[in-house]
Structure formats: structure tokens, C-alpha cells
Amino acid sequence: MVEIGKKKLDSGWIAARSTEVDLNGVQLTTTHPPSTTDLSSPWIEAVVPGTVLGTLLKNKLVPDPFYGLNNETIIDIADSGREYYTFWFFTTFQCALLEHQHVDLNFRALNYSAEVYVNGHIRILPKGMFRRHSLDVTDILHPDGQNLLAVLVNPPDHPGKIPPQGGQGGDHEIGKDVAAQYVEGWDWMTPIRDRNTGIWDEVTIFVTGPVKIVEPHLVSTFYDNYERAYLHCTTELENRSAWAVDCSLNIQVTADLEGNFCLVEHLHTQELSIPPGSCIQYTFPPLFFYRPNLWWPNGMGKQSLYTVVITVDVKDYGESDSWSHLFGFRKIESTIDEATGGRLFKVNGEPIFVRGGNWILSDGLLRLSDKRYSTDIKFHADMNLNMIRCWGGGLAERPEFYHYCDIYGLLVWQEFWITGDVDGRGDPISNPNGPLDHDLFLVCAMDTIKLLRNHPSLALWVGGNEQIPPDDINIALKNNLKLHPYFESMGGVSNVSKDLLPATDDPSLYLDGTRVYIKGSMWDGFANSKGDFTDGPYGIQNPEDFFKDSFYQYGFNPEVGSVGVPVAATIKTTMPAQGWKIPVLSMQPEGYVKEIANPIWEYHKYIEYSNKGLVRYQIDLYGEPKDLDDFCEKAQLINYIQYRALLEGWTSRMWTKYTGVLIWKTQNPWTGLRGQFYDHLHDQTAGFYGCRCAAEPVHIQLNLDTYFIEVVNTTSKELSSIAVEASVWDLDGTCTYYEVTDSLAVPAKRTQIIVEMMYPKSENPKPVYFLLLKLFNTLDYAVMSRNFYWLHLPGGDYKLLEPYRAKRLPLKISSKVSITNSTYNVQVNVQNSSRSPDFDRLMDRMNHGKRQIENNSAFKKMLAAECKKKHVGLLGRIYRHLVSSDDGLKVVEVDGTDSGVAFFLHFSVHAANRDLQEEKDTRILPVHYSDNYFSLIPGETMPVNISFDVPSGVTPQIQLHGWNYSDGLSISIY
């Protein structure tokens, strides 16, 4: 018997332009099949899943559209006509069925419509980019198992034209179709020339017996403060045979345990009889769980997942079909917060302060992969974010995306395919009535809901971006996505008072029933709730402004954005030498310094590091950049400050003014130069680590407006027995200010002001200085949060940091590596082994119960104030702990005679044995770092974990660069 289940058809495809093929689909799949091994014109190797443009790129028939200005040389569908990007895709597949077996040919998505031919038989796939197609091909398969498949894929009906001025969504014609709207270009993206035509999601064949399992729906409910839970499940069963069948329907729920073991939590069997050729719906009795392991968002707890397996066994046949899914027990509630007016989310009864990002898609050419999704979502978790918004001009994201959001705890806001720019405003004015075919839109929406609804990470549905759908679509979505009464909440208290719900009211009978539907991204608790374009702003801001009460007036900002230039290596890899020229400055009459970027940067949507009338040119704060490397390094300093301040400013007003914020945007689906925490090549900017720092669940921060030190506690537990340490260091490595505030407690889910950082008000403060904040547990001196700032006095700048580069500070670097298959895990400890000029005296004073508080004009003279005799200097204790034995690690010592802060250190991983020509990029990407772009005071050590996969035949090498180490240091890992 052929094994039941799914088989992907993701290799062996060839493609050809339809105008170059003289045969029809019947001939291609009967008498004149093209050879998949003898590629001759017009047939070429195809990318499936993928797009026509991806196939052309794979065969080097077009240049890389993401490199330099190459995209301008690729013919646009508006100029070529739709036929130019209408392609045949052809493959063969092996499938020979036994008696009573059935097989479906499944297309999870394609763009935009298609004719499918299997062994000479035609099936027409209707229009729509976001719908699944399932074809029963049981009766047309060849007895010998050798089958021919040809698919003629047509582009969107309204691909549109690109106006000379570009714009949001081109001429907006794409909005007439139910398709991704970004493809005509945006202010962060150039046009995709084929409009993503192709079989862009997986193709599979799926074998079953006489009975097929269809669209199971899983829902959990809770009682007694989450002590008791019930798993509800409804599924459809389709009898594909010509006779009535008796079958056993089974559901099994297991929990993974340590050591590759699993615990069977539930096993339930139901005997059923299904009439011939019919489809029935069956709802299981609710399955009871006592104290189940709950699924929590990132930063709130563990992402516990159970495996649910549903099987159907047919009498006198055996197992007919099987379905499995990871399931998380959790309850999401969403209301408008009375205190702030912002939308409030609760997970398992606990309010969650949302700090997340806007997501476009992983790759503009839809080169989507499990590995890329895994990296993308882990990056978001590494940044301590807890929500991703799937923007309406992009995709209904794929199950693989949601799988990793389930794994890493990222709540997902999923929008449907409406944007204000393309569906009601813009230049030219777009169609306010949405797509031409409203029924098609709803078909795609209903199918998308069924595809994604079982994922615990999915938090809410939204009708559109900065726009609401047309009335009929909006009403239909609202009705279809109505909440089950159990999930209708008011202040988090369920309206359902009865214990177990009757079977006729089982929540798994709803299309979804568990998540709210909001009609648009600026309505009902988002922005000003009225759709008046009160999201943003999108340019660079003065860091202190994020903390001011006047900065943003509404409780939840769905979009606020800023800069995002990547590292120099990325620019050199994605642009020719003409694109390595840094912006030229132009003084405008009103005193505004404007950046004039080179044409390639302009094409890649560069956003300035100044903001007319608001923010002075930030790069210049560090001195005029000499070249691309210098410019990009200084840009990273600003990226770090900008995004840390953004999130810290929002968190400073947690629950008193704000309920959440989503940054526009976290990533780039192409090689853009704005609004990103990591680039398209998967290398992080320093903004990534500024965000990571600021979004810690427990965090210490400096309010840049008031200069009060604040402790943020987003967790559900009170922080007690904690202390705050603030130390200021000058450019000579002298500690000029030291203060400890102890015996502190911070309530759960609270941002609490601790003490003012008085150094700027002291006598003769330094114009540029470093501030290190640490939050300690006083019971064991464990560091709960660490935050390092470089600061200047009001009205000043950072130009004194330029000569600081000449300092030669000694470093001690130890490393230890473990290798599993091709994955390297490296533990690195970096120690600033310099000693401040007053180090011994500072340690002596601390260990005798003294607290250093401020300095006078002399560099080395210290003024000390008496502190409590019971307090021993935390800095001294932690220092002695961190410089303990190397424990067999490989050690590299870097000589240096100066003392000071080792400033802005950052790792990168390279292929040591790759061609090292200057124009070649030797980086190994992606890499996961536990921290990067960090600074160390004298005597301090930073442990960093580094993880990456190494291509076959490549020897990796870790390098460390920094403000004081521009030439870089190689770190031994062997």
C-alpha cells in the first residue's frame, strides 16, 4: 500500500515562457512532454515554490534585482505585457495508488490564476493569490505511477504601471486584484517586475484512504483560574468511496518531555458511520486537562506546545488519514484600556505590554524557506519583542512563519489585503471600493482563516492597513469572525458563567471565534481610534523626545519608524563601487543640513540621519565621516541610541500612557537602507541590540528627558531585594561618579522612578562621558539588567570620541567551541583588562563601605560620601567574580597601555578560507549573538554566546571590532 500522507513536489521543475511554447497543456502532459534533464530552449530549470522572476534569476537570464540599480534593467510587466511573464511550469511525479486509495494534488497558493494539466486532463484554478487549491486526481493517474504535470500560470489581472515619481503601490491598479500590493513599489521597496507571478507556495500530493480528514479546528477553554482546561475539536470527514463506511476517529494529545520522550495526555476514540460520497462534521467531547502547561508570549513564560494527532481508521481497510498540529493552551483577550485609550491585550489573564515590529515579508521575490523563517522569527525573539504585525500590503503569512512564532512566542497581528494607499487614497487617487471582486476577497479570507486559526501565536485579525475594507467585506469579516461568548470579555472577565459549554455551543464550531477582529490598523484602540493617520512618525528623532509627554498622544501606536543603514560590508556586497559614496551635505537656507545621497542609495530608499526643523544631522555629532566604513560605524551608534530610546520612552509610560508600540519596521524584504533591525542578508544592525536591551522583561534605564533612573518590570512578579548601581566613567577610564541605591522593590508590571542621576549637575562634569547602569539582586549579586550609555552635556556632541579611537586598551578574550553537525556554538568572554587610574583606591573605598558620587575638575581627585556600613561595593564583588579562572578556555590577550572604556565592540563571523579579495564578502550569515555592540568599563567582562551554521568546506573565524579596535581581532575557536 502506498503510504498515506503528504509528499512535496519541490524539485525537478522546469519552466518556459508561454509565448515560446507551441504546444498546449494536453500535448505537454501526453505526447510531447519536455525533458526535465535535457534543458534546451525555451525550457529552463524552475524554482517551485517561487516566482517567474526567481526562476529567471536562477538561470541568470536577469541580473539580481536587489543589487545596485539592476532592477531598472529588468523589463516591467507594464511595458512587456502580461504574456511576457505568463509561464509554463512542468514536472513529473511518481504515484501509483492501490485499491480504495485517493490522491489530491494541492497548491497552497499561486499568483494569480492557472490552468493545471495532469496526464492530459485539464483543471482550471480560479483567481486569487491567497487561497488553496485541492484537485482530486485519483482517476487520472497512470497505472504505472509515472505522471506528468504542467501548470500555466497567469499574472495578476491588473499589474498596473509604475508612475515616474514611484509612490505607494505604483498606480494602485494592483488593488483591483486580491494580491500582495507591495509589488508595485513603496517608499521602502522598488517594484517587483513580474508582480510575483508564479507557484509561490508549496505543491504537494496527498494520499488518503476512503475517508479524508478536513479542516480540524482546535480551541481551548479554561476555568478555576486556569487550573482546569478543556480542548475542543471539530473536524469534517469526507467519505470518498461509493459505499457507507464504518470507521474509528481517534484524537491523541501528547506533551514532549526531556530526552525525546513524550507523555500521552489524552487518547479518545469515536466510532462513526459515514454515508457514501458525503462529508460530515464531528465535534469531539471536550477533553479535560488539569493544570496544563500554558503557552506564553516571549518574555512572559514558556512556549509550551502539545502535539495533537487525529487519525481515522476504516473498518476492513486500516488507517485512512492522519492530521497533526502543535497546539498551545492559551487564552487571548483584547479590549480598549480605560486608562490610556489604547488597545490592551491579555494572555492567560495577564496584561502584556506590547513591544513589537511591523513585518512586510521575508523576501520580496518570495524565496521563502523554513530556514529563513526560523532565522527571521528567532531574531525577533532575540530582540525581546513579543508581537509581529503582518502588514496588509504584504502576505497572509505562511504556516511555517506561524510555526516559528508558536515556537518563539511572537504574537501575530494578521491583516487582510487592504491598504489606504491602494484602496482609497494616494497619487493617483486609488479605488476606495477595494478589489473588484468582493466575493473573491472573502473566499481568500475564509480560506486563510482556516489555514492559520490553530496557531496559538495568532492574536488578532485586522481588516486593513490605514484603511478599512469596503462595507460589505467589513461586515462579512466581522460576522464570520464573531467571538464565541466564552471569548467575549469585559475587563478580562468572561461573560460565560456556566462551567462546561453544551456541545451545540462548542467554540470549535465557529470559523474562529477566539480572536478579535478590528476593521483597520488605526481604529478601535490603535492610534487615535478614528483612522485619522495618527500613526508614525517615520524619521529620526531626538532620543530625549521619546520620553516627553508631548511626543505621542495615543495609547497604542501601530507604526513608528526611523533610520536603519546596515553595516558597510552589506553595502559593499549589494552595490557597485558607485554606491559606496557617502552622502554629501548641503546647507539649506533655513539652516537645515540636508544629505544628498548617491543615486543608488536613493533607489534603495535611504532615509536621512537628520529631520528638517526637528533633528540636527546626527552623524555629524561624531565628526565628519571619512569614508563608507566610518559613516556606517557612526550610523550604528545612532541606530543603537535611536531604537533603545524609542522603546525605553514608550516603556517609561507603560500603562500610564501607553499599552504598546510596533516599530516600522523590523526587517527588509530586499536590500533597502531604511527602517530595519537586520538587513536582507540577515546581518543585524546595532539597532537590533539597542532594541534587545530596551525590551528586556526586567530593565534598568535612564530617562533621557528627566535624567531619572527607572526600573521596568513587565513581569507578573514583584521585584524585591534589588539595588541599582550607577557609575560614570570619563574618557581616561576614571570613575567620576558612583552611586548605589538599595533596599528597593518594584511591583509587577510597573515602571518605577528610582533616583535622579546627578552627574550632569555636579561640579565640572565632563562634556562626554559613559554611564553604566546595573540592576542587581542583593541576595546573590546577580545582574538582572545592564545598560550602557554614552552621553554628552546639553547642547554638546560626541566629537571627543574621535581622538578616543587612538587609545590602545588591553583585552583578554577566552573562547570555547562545541560543534554539532554543521552548527557551531561558541562561548566567548571579553574582558577589558585595563585598570582605571584610580582603580585600587576605588576598590579600596568600595570594600570599606564607601560610595563614590562625583568628581571635581581634576581627573583623579575623588569626592566620596559615606554610605551605609552594610553595603559593600557591588562593582568590586562582580569584578572579582568575573575574572575567575579561565576553566580551560582558549585565551587571546591583546596588549595595550592605555586605560579606558573598550567602546562599541562587535563580533562578526567569517569564512577564513574563502577568497579574500576585497570585493568578496567573507561573512557567514546568519549568526545569533546573545549580545553585540557592547562596551566594557575597566575590569569588566562580557560573556557572549555565538551560534551559526557553517557551509560545507568552510573554516569559520570570529572577528572582534570596536571603536578602539578598527583593524579587528581574530578569535581562536580551535
Side-chain angles (χ1 to χ4, degrees):
M1 183 180 293
V2 177
E3 185 177 356
I4 67 170
K6 181 173 77 172
K7 177 184 177 182
K8 290 184 180 180
L9 304 182
D10 56 1
S11 61
W13 288 84
I14 57 176
R17 185 170 284 113
S18 63
T19 55
E20 299 175 2
V21 177
D22 296 329
L23 304 171
N24 60 37
V26 173
Q27 293 169 314
L28 290 173
T29 56
T30 54
T31 58
H32 294 81
S35 171
T36 58
T37 57
D38 180 19
L39 296 180
S40 57
S41 183
W43 295 95
I44 56 177
E45 186 177 354
V47 178
V48 176
T51 64
V52 169
L53 196 57
T55 288
L56 295 174
L57 179 60
K58 180 180 180 65
N59 290 273
K60 299 182 179 180
L61 296 175
V62 295
D64 183 355
F66 291 179
Y67 182 86
L69 298 178
N70 281 353
N71 197 50
E72 289 293 275
T73 69
I74 301 174
I75 189 168
D76 191 83
I77 193 171
D79 302 314
S80 66
R82 293 174 67 248
E83 296 79 10
Y84 187 80
Y85 286 110
T86 300
F87 265 63
W88 281 105
F89 292 85
F90 177 87
T91 193
T92 63
F93 64 93
Q94 175 73 30
C95 185
L97 299 179
L98 298 181
E99 188 177 11
H100 305 313
Q101 285 190 324
H102 300 259
V103 64
D104 293 315
L105 173 63
N106 297 322
F107 296 84
R108 204 165 67 180
L110 53 78
N111 191 29
Y112 184 63
S113 62
E115 299 173 15
V116 177
Y117 296 84
V118 180
N119 301 332
H121 297 264
I122 183 174
R123 300 286 189 272
I124 303 298
L125 300 189
K127 299 173 183 179
M129 185 175 179
F130 303 110
R131 65 188 302 181
R132 292 170 292 173
H133 307 274
S134 185
L135 307 176
D136 185 347
V137 296
T138 304
D139 296 334
I140 59 177
L141 297 185
H142 284 157
D144 63 2
Q146 296 291 334
N147 300 285
L148 307 178
L149 170 62
V151 185
L152 180 65
V153 181
N154 302 295
D157 292 345
H158 302 88
K161 298 181 179 180
I162 313 303
Q165 72 274 20
Q168 313 292 81
D171 66 357
H172 309 134
E173 284 291 294
I174 194 69
K176 294 180 178 179
D177 297 332
V178 184
Q181 297 181 359
Y182 76 91
V183 292
E184 281 199 67
W186 225 266
D187 59 5
W188 44 265
M189 181 77 180
T190 54
I192 303 297
R193 298 306 187 187
D194 68 344
R195 308 296 190 263
N196 282 156
T197 300
I199 308 171
W200 67 274
D201 202 358
E202 69 175 27
V203 184
T204 61
I205 53 173
F206 198 96
V207 177
T208 71
V211 176
K212 177 182 177 182
I213 298 169
V214 182
E215 307 287 10
H217 186 201
L218 307 174
V219 177
S220 56
T221 57
F222 301 92
Y223 303 89
D224 297 339
N225 196 28
Y226 297 89
E227 289 281 300
R228 291 186 296 138
Y230 294 88
L231 175 62
H232 306 260
C233 179
T234 294
T235 187
E236 295 179 4
L237 298 169
E238 180 184 355
N239 181 4
R240 311 179 80 171
S241 69
W243 58 89
V245 296
D246 295 323
C247 60
S248 297
L249 182 64
N250 312 291
I251 185 169
Q252 177 178 289
V253 185
T254 60
D256 288 336
L257 302 176
E258 298 291 335
N260 295 323
F261 291 95
C262 66
L263 174 66
V264 177
E265 296 269 1
H266 263 287
L267 179 61
H268 178 85
T269 299
Q270 181 68 41
E271 303 297 326
L272 297 171
S273 181
I274 307 176
S278 66
C279 184
I280 67 168
Q281 185 181 69
Y282 178 75
T283 300
F284 287 94
L287 304 180
F288 172 71
F289 291 77
Y290 180 66
R291 291 185 178 178
N293 297 320
L294 300 180
W295 184 93
W296 292 96
N298 188 34
M300 293 184 71
K302 187 178 178 182
Q303 290 75 53
S304 298
L305 293 168
Y306 291 76
T307 301
V308 179
V309 178
I310 300 173
T311 57
V312 59
D313 295 302
V314 174
K315 186 178 180 181
D316 298 327
Y317 176 82
E319 185 172 280
S320 179
D321 197 4
S322 178
W323 178 92
S324 66
H325 205 286
L326 292 178
F327 180 75
F329 281 93
R330 63 96 181 95
K331 182 180 181 182
I332 293 179
E333 300 165 278
S334 181
T335 58
I336 296 178
D337 180 49
E338 293 182 0
T340 64
R343 182 148 289 274
L344 171 65
F345 292 89
K346 288 185 177 181
V347 179
N348 304 329
E350 294 284 347
I352 176 172
F353 188 72
V354 172
R355 292 173 292 186
N358 283 268
W359 169 272
I360 310 302
L361 69 162
S362 183
D363 176 74
L365 297 187
L366 302 185
R367 293 168 293 189
L368 310 177
S369 69
D370 190 80
K371 181 177 181 180
R372 190 170 181 92
Y373 273 133
S374 173
T375 299
D376 283 325
I377 305 309
K378 187 176 189 308
F379 274 177
H380 285 73
D382 288 346
M383 286 187 283
N384 291 311
L385 300 179
N386 52 32
M387 180 177 278
I388 296 177
R389 173 194 173 208
C390 294
W391 173 73
L395 302 182
E397 265 302 349
R398 301 297 87 197
E400 291 78 11
F401 169 92
Y402 277 89
H403 168 77
Y404 287 106
C405 288
D406 295 343
I407 295 294
Y408 291 114
L410 275 299
L411 296 172
V412 183
W413 155 340
Q414 179 67 63
E415 283 179 5
F416 296 106
W417 318 285
I418 296 289
T419 68
D421 299 278
V422 176
D423 299 294
R425 68 175 199 272
D427 180 16
I429 297 296
S430 55
N431 175 23
N433 201 35
L436 296 180
D437 190 337
H438 290 196
D439 290 338
L440 172 59
F441 186 100
L442 289 171
V443 166
C444 291
M446 298 307 105
D447 193 63
T448 295
I449 293 165
K450 291 179 180 179
L451 177 67
L452 303 177
R453 64 188 178 183
N454 290 319
H455 288 277
S457 57
L458 178 57
L460 77 159
W461 303 100
V462 177
N465 165 67
E466 297 179 344
Q467 180 67 294
I468 62 176
D471 287 345
D472 60 326
I473 292 178
N474 186 53
I475 291 171
L477 289 173
K478 184 177 180 180
N479 289 337
N480 281 290
L481 288 169
K482 66 181 179 181
L483 289 173
H484 183 279
Y486 173 85
F487 294 94
E488 292 178 351
S489 60
M490 187 65 64
V493 179
S494 172
N495 291 335
V496 178
S497 58
K498 50 192 173 182
D499 188 28
L500 261 181
L501 302 161
T504 55
D505 200 26
D506 192 288
S508 64
L509 287 165
Y510 280 56
L511 178 64
D512 184 332
T514 68
R515 304 168 178 92
V516 296
Y517 166 73
I518 306 297
K519 58 186 177 183
S521 66
M522 299 189 298
W523 281 260
D524 300 331
F526 299 122
N528 74 346
S529 293
K530 302 175 183 178
D532 291 337
F533 303 103
T534 45
D535 47 5
Y538 301 94
I540 193 167
Q541 306 295 316
N542 292 306
E544 63 271 16
D545 287 349
F546 291 114
F547 295 84
K548 294 179 179 178
D549 189 55
S550 59
F551 182 69
Y552 187 74
Q553 297 306 307
Y554 309 105
F556 194 120
N557 194 341
E559 294 184 15
V560 57
S562 191
V563 292
V565 164
V567 298
T570 291
I571 292 178
K572 292 178 180 179
T573 301
T574 58
M575 298 179 185
Q578 303 94 296
W580 301 2
K581 297 176 182 178
I582 62 177
V584 175
L585 303 184
S586 172
M587 180 63 72
Q588 302 299 298
E590 58 269 39
Y592 162 61
V593 177
K594 180 174 179 57
E595 295 178 72
I596 309 298
N598 70 66
I600 299 179
W601 282 31
E602 288 287 348
Y603 193 76
H604 286 253
K605 311 297 185 178
Y606 174 71
I607 186 172
E608 295 183 55
Y609 278 73
S610 60
N611 198 335
K612 185 177 182 180
L614 297 174
V615 183
R616 64 178 287 191
Y617 181 46
Q618 295 291 287
I619 299 286
D620 190 54
L621 290 178
Y622 297 88
E624 182 180 353
K626 299 183 293 293
D627 52 24
L628 179 64
D629 293 282
D630 192 28
F631 179 93
C632 289
E633 184 168 26
K634 288 172 177 173
Q636 299 316 310
L637 290 162
I638 300 160
N639 292 345
Y640 191 103
I641 291 175
Q642 183 76 181
Y643 287 108
R644 177 178 61 181
L646 188 159
L647 285 179
E648 288 182 341
W650 247 269
T651 309
S652 181
R653 305 294 184 95
M654 178 175 65
W655 308 127
T656 60
K657 184 179 180 183
Y658 301 127
T659 59
V661 61
L662 302 177
I663 297 173
W664 184 268
K665 49 191 176 26
T666 52
Q667 41 72 244
N668 243 318
W670 83 304
T671 50
L673 298 179
R674 70 191 309 168
Q676 59 187 343
F677 289 137
Y678 59 92
D679 59 43
H680 187 257
L681 304 180
H682 273 155
D683 200 356
Q684 303 99 329
T685 72
F688 183 108
Y689 296 95
C691 170
R692 176 185 175 88
C693 172
E696 294 174 305
V698 174
H699 180 62
I700 187 169
Q701 65 186 38
L702 179 69
N703 185 311
L704 296 178
D705 182 43
T706 66
Y707 267 56
F708 276 91
I709 296 170
E710 300 170 341
V711 173
V712 178
N713 179 15
T714 65
T715 73
S716 58
K717 296 182 179 179
E718 180 187 55
L719 301 178
S720 59
S721 301
I722 59 173
V724 168
E725 178 190 75
S727 59
V728 170
W729 301 79
D730 68 15
L731 298 183
D732 288 326
T734 301
C735 181
T736 59
Y737 175 96
Y738 183 81
E739 184 170 1
V740 172
T741 307
D742 58 7
S743 301
L744 298 173
V746 178
K749 303 186 184 303
R750 177 80 62 84
T751 297
Q752 186 160 303
I753 297 172
I754 304 300
V755 66
E756 185 177 2
M757 202 281 287
M758 299 296 295
Y759 177 74
K761 297 180 180 179
S762 65
E763 184 181 354
N764 298 321
K766 301 295 183 181
V768 175
Y769 59 95
F770 303 112
L771 170 66
L772 178 61
L773 299 179
K774 289 185 179 180
L775 179 67
F776 290 96
N777 183 328
T778 57
L779 299 179
D780 59 5
Y781 295 102
V783 179
M784 304 173 71
S785 176
R786 176 190 183 276
N787 203 346
F788 182 90
Y789 295 82
W790 53 102
L791 300 165
H792 61 70
L793 296 181
D797 56 37
Y798 295 112
K799 288 186 172 64
L800 286 176
L801 287 176
E802 187 64 35
Y804 192 68
R805 285 179 164 181
K807 274 188 173 288
R808 291 294 172 260
L809 306 178
L811 292 181
K812 184 177 182 180
I813 307 167
S814 58
S815 60
K816 185 176 183 179
V817 62
S818 63
I819 307 172
T820 304
N821 298 322
S822 62
T823 301
Y824 282 62
N825 290 286
V826 186
Q827 297 175 313
V828 181
N829 289 329
V830 183
Q831 182 189 83
N832 177 357
S833 50
S834 71
R835 296 166 71 89
S836 63
D838 61 327
F839 185 84
D840 292 330
R841 184 162 54 162
L842 178 61
M843 293 298 104
D844 182 65
R845 284 181 180 273
M846 289 178 180
N847 289 317
H848 284 82
K850 303 294 183 181
R851 182 183 296 161
Q852 307 298 331
I853 58 170
E854 60 182 7
N855 73 307
N856 60 14
S857 57
F859 279 99
K860 296 183 180 180
K861 184 177 180 182
M862 292 273 182
L863 298 177
E866 291 291 329
C867 65
K868 298 176 182 178
K869 294 293 183 182
K870 68 177 182 180
H871 177 75
V872 178
L874 296 178
L875 185 65
R877 287 182 181 240
I878 296 301
Y879 170 75
R880 289 198 303 274
H881 172 71
L882 290 175
V883 297
S884 58
S885 68
D886 291 325
D887 195 25
L889 304 178
K890 291 180 171 55
V891 177
V892 173
E893 298 205 34
V894 180
D895 292 333
T897 58
D898 293 331
S899 176
V901 170
F903 184 52
F904 217 53
L905 302 173
H906 47 98
F907 292 105
S908 56
V909 181
H910 298 259
N913 58 338
R914 189 176 289 176
D915 184 359
L916 297 180
Q917 298 178 41
E918 185 178 349
E919 67 271 16
K920 296 294 184 180
D921 187 3
T922 64
R923 288 174 299 170
I924 293 175
L925 296 170
V927 182
H928 297 277
Y929 304 94
S930 62
D931 206 350
N932 217 352
Y933 293 96
F934 57 91
S935 302
L936 300 174
I937 64 171
E940 191 178 23
T941 298
M942 174 67 73
V944 178
N945 295 322
I946 305 174
S947 176
F948 52 92
D949 288 336
V950 176
S952 177
V954 171
T955 301
Q957 179 186 78
I958 297 177
Q959 294 183 8
L960 179 67
H961 288 80
W963 196 256
N964 314 107
Y965 310 93
S966 58
D967 294 335
L969 310 169
S970 295
I971 300 172
S972 174
I973 58 174
Y974 293 101

